[in-house]
């Protein structure tokens, strides 16, 4: 391609049509070239695994500090105080990342596993007795909504605000479309509830939230910063795992052979969950902003432009995976970008894996067959891919 020539596409990655079935659009994005111009939002897009991965690894050229949504914080006022981990670059990011990495380390999570297992087994037992249930409301949503706030040390009352807040946060990374506006209908009350939950005195001293505040005593961060880091946990940790578990249930119910393989080989829960994350990635997109002109395969992206990274498309790139659309729980899933990569790679990964693996293990131990009742309904969100309802029937 001659210099300053690049493919321009006019579709809207945040439209109902795109979000309902993104995969044909992803293919067109990948095939159009390593980098494309998205006319509608006047941003660049990358959908191939190599380029998405490279951009995520290069925080110096692909900054998060102007926000990882469409809105450019250098030009527009952010809808909320920016996150000091997600929407930050080193050196600020390095300091805050260390704190959450420690609070969520396999060491700190170790003591939670027994409770997580027990709750998964209890819930699955209850659903097995019911035979027919909603895989989203009764399992994919019910489970994280119980154990995650418990682990953080959040009071039992008012937890519904967590889901409403997550909905706002993840829609806010997209354009100010109808979907965003609808999720903001109750914004003042929801934000007030979340803000109250983040205060040190509202958190159980034995939880992960209180652990974040230990860094204040150690002089590493201020009280306000600790509050914002707890807000990050509440923002990022619930809707993502709800989607992940729902999407895994969907794929296992749709792929009878894979379900049988998992039942017969329960040690495959880790790769099964990982493969579900690859194939139906909860976080579909995040933006970066260039800090300097950057050339991608002969296309020059100017400084200060937004670049939309299609994680879900990268995770199905045939240049990277054999038979990319196939759900194969024995696949060595390593290398997908569902958790991101580079310095911003998900800090909650270990926690989310415990949640996913506990549910899949409990099901594999107890359920012989898992079937969808009719067509599950998606819950469209500007960033997250997941279901609203999913009728399931289980046999033991
Ligand atoms: C945060 C935040 C919010 C949403 C997602 C996320 C995937 C982080 O507030 O830091 O990471």
């Amino acid at each position: 391609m001659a210099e300053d020539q690049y493919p321009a596409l006019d579709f809207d990655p945040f439209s109902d049509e795109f979000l309902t079935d993104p995969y044909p659009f992803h293919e067109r994005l990948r095939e159009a070239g390593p980098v494309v111009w998205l006319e509608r939002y006047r941003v660049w897009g990358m959908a191939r695994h190599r380029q998405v991965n490279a951009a995520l690894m290069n925080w110096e050229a692909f900054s998060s500090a102007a926000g990882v949504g469409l809105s450019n914080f250098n030009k527009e006022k952010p809808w909320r105080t920016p996150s000091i981990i997600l929407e930050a670059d080193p050196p600020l990011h390095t300091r805050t990342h260390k704190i959450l990495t420690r609070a969520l380390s396999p060491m700190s999570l170790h003591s939670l596993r027994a409770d997580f297992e027990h709750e998964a087994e209890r819930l699955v037992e209850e659903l097995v007795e019911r035979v027919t249930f909603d895989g989203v409301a009764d399992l994919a949503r019910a489970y994280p909504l119980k154990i995650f706030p418990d682990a953080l040390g959040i009071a039992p009352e008012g937890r519904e605000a967590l889901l409403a807040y997550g909905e706002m946060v993840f829609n806010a990374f997209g354009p100010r479309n109808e979907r965003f506006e609808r999720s903001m209908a109750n914004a003042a009350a929801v934000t007030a509830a979340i803000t109250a939950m983040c205060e040190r005195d509202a958190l159980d001293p034995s939880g992960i939230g209180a652990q974040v505040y230990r860094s204040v005593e150690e002089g590493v961060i201020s009280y306000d910063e600790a509050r914002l880091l707890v807000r990050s946990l509440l923002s990022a940790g619930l809707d993502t795992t709800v989607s992940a578990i729902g999407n895994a249930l969907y794929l296992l119910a749709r792929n009878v052979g894979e379900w049988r393989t998992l039942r017969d080989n329960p040690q495959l829960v880790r790769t099964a969950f990982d493969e579900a994350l690859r194939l139906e990635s909860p976080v579909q997109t995040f933006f970066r902003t260039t800090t300097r002109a950057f050339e991608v395969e002969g296309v020059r992206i100017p400084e200060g432009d937004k670049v939309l990274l299609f994680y879900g498309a990268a995770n199905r790139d045939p240049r990277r995976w054999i038979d990319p659309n196939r759900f194969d729980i024995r696949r060595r899933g390593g290398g997908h970008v569902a958790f991101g990569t580079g310095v911003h790679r998900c800090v909650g990964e270990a926690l989310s894996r415990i949640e996913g693996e506990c549910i899949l293990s409990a099901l594999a131990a107890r359920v012989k067959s898992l079937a969808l009742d009719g067509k599950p309904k998606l819950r469209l969100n500007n960033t997250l891919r997941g279901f609203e309802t999913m009728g399931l029937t289980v046999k033991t």
Side-chain angles (χ1 to χ4, degrees):
M1 211 178 296
E3 185 148 6
D4 286 334
Q5 288 260 358
Y6 44 80
L9 297 170
D10 67 357
F11 45 65
D12 179 358
F14 305 100
S15 64
D16 285 13
E17 191 195 4
F18 190 106
L19 296 173
T20 299
D21 185 13
Y23 303 117
F25 291 107
H26 287 169
E27 187 176 351
R28 285 160 65 191
L29 284 161
R30 284 189 306 258
E31 294 311 312
V35 58
V36 303
W37 176 248
L38 297 169
E39 275 165 342
R40 186 175 170 110
Y41 297 109
R42 305 190 57 78
V43 300
W44 303 91
M46 302 203 280
R48 294 185 187 173
H49 184 276
R50 181 186 297 277
Q51 280 75 31
V52 170
N53 196 75
L56 291 173
M57 292 300 293
N58 189 352
W59 60 266
E60 285 169 295
F62 292 89
S63 167
S64 293
V68 296
L70 174 63
S71 169
N72 185 335
F73 295 175
N74 298 326
K75 300 179 182 170
E76 289 177 280
K77 187 174 152 17
W79 73 281
R80 61 170 194 167
T81 306
S83 164
I84 58 172
I85 179 160
L86 179 77
E87 295 155 337
D89 292 334
L92 168 61
H93 174 272
T94 314
R95 192 159 54 87
T96 53
H97 185 268
K98 255 186 220 138
I99 292 160
L100 289 193
T101 302
R102 184 176 69 166
L104 296 167
S105 71
M107 265 282 264
S108 0
L109 301 179
H110 183 74
S111 58
L112 295 173
R113 191 180 267 276
D115 277 356
F116 281 27
E117 279 171 3
H118 181 254
E119 181 61 18
E121 286 161 13
R122 194 194 64 74
L123 199 53
V124 165
E125 194 53 47
E126 192 183 299
L127 297 175
V128 158
E129 273 160 38
R130 281 174 52 186
V131 181
T132 292
F133 57 91
D134 183 345
V136 177
D138 303 329
L139 188 52
R141 198 182 291 147
Y143 181 66
L145 195 51
K146 168 86 179 93
I147 60 165
F148 183 67
D150 281 357
L152 291 185
I154 290 172
E157 312 82 47
R159 290 180 174 186
E160 326 74 58
L162 291 166
L163 287 167
Y165 189 63
E167 190 83 2
M168 288 158 54
V169 167
F170 284 98
N171 275 329
F173 296 121
R176 298 302 175 245
N177 56 13
E178 233 184 274
R179 195 180 335 285
F180 167 78
E181 296 301 342
R182 252 182 280 129
S183 63
M184 294 295 278
N186 216 4
V190 172
T191 303
I194 295 302
T195 305
M197 284 180 197
C198 293
E199 299 286 350
R200 175 165 34 197
D201 288 349
L203 294 162
D204 187 299
S206 65
I208 293 169
Q211 175 63 34
V212 173
Y213 277 99
R214 306 249 144 80
S215 304
V216 179
E217 290 148 38
E218 292 163 9
V220 185
I221 48 168
S222 68
Y223 182 90
D224 285 347
E225 287 177 319
R227 224 175 27 177
L228 278 174
L229 287 178
V230 173
R231 192 194 68 174
S232 284
L233 297 176
L234 301 188
S235 303
L238 193 60
D239 297 56
T240 45
T241 51
V242 170
S243 288
I245 294 169
N247 296 354
L249 292 176
Y250 168 77
L251 289 167
L252 288 165
R254 284 256 310 215
N255 293 272
V256 177
E258 295 308 283
W259 172 252
R260 210 171 294 134
T261 302
L262 182 61
R263 242 192 77 82
D264 295 343
N265 306 274
Q267 78 283 6
L268 292 176
V269 283
R270 186 183 170 90
T271 54
F273 189 59
D274 212 38
E275 173 69 345
L277 289 167
R278 180 190 70 83
L279 200 58
E280 295 288 359
S281 307
V283 171
Q284 285 280 306
T285 47
F286 270 136
F287 289 83
R288 292 291 188 265
T289 309
T290 52
T291 56
R292 56 177 173 87
F294 192 88
E295 200 184 293
V296 179
E297 307 258 326
V299 176
R300 185 180 172 277
I301 304 178
E303 178 190 337
D305 277 10
K306 283 274 175 179
V307 183
L308 180 53
L309 305 176
F310 289 89
Y311 297 38
N315 285 342
R316 288 175 177 235
D317 185 351
R319 295 161 190 79
R320 175 64 180 73
W321 279 278
I322 296 165
D323 210 353
N325 300 317
R326 184 164 159 248
F327 180 58
D328 174 4
I329 69 165
R330 290 183 187 275
R331 194 191 289 270
R332 299 262 171 238
H336 70 65
V337 291
F339 288 114
T341 189
V343 300
H344 285 280
R345 188 182 171 102
C346 179
V347 290
E349 175 176 346
L351 178 55
S352 80
R353 285 191 190 278
I354 298 175
E355 293 181 46
E357 289 168 25
C358 283
I359 289 294
L360 297 190
S361 296
L363 283 170
R366 201 63 185 83
V367 171
K368 194 164 282 157
S369 80
L370 180 68
L372 291 171
D373 292 333
K375 199 170 153 20
K377 193 166 161 278
L378 285 167
R379 182 173 190 97
L380 299 189
N381 179 281
N382 285 338
T383 304
L384 290 177
R385 179 158 180 82
F387 290 95
E388 167 69 26
T389 58
M390 187 188 307
L392 286 177
T393 296
V394 292
K395 290 196 189 118
T396 55

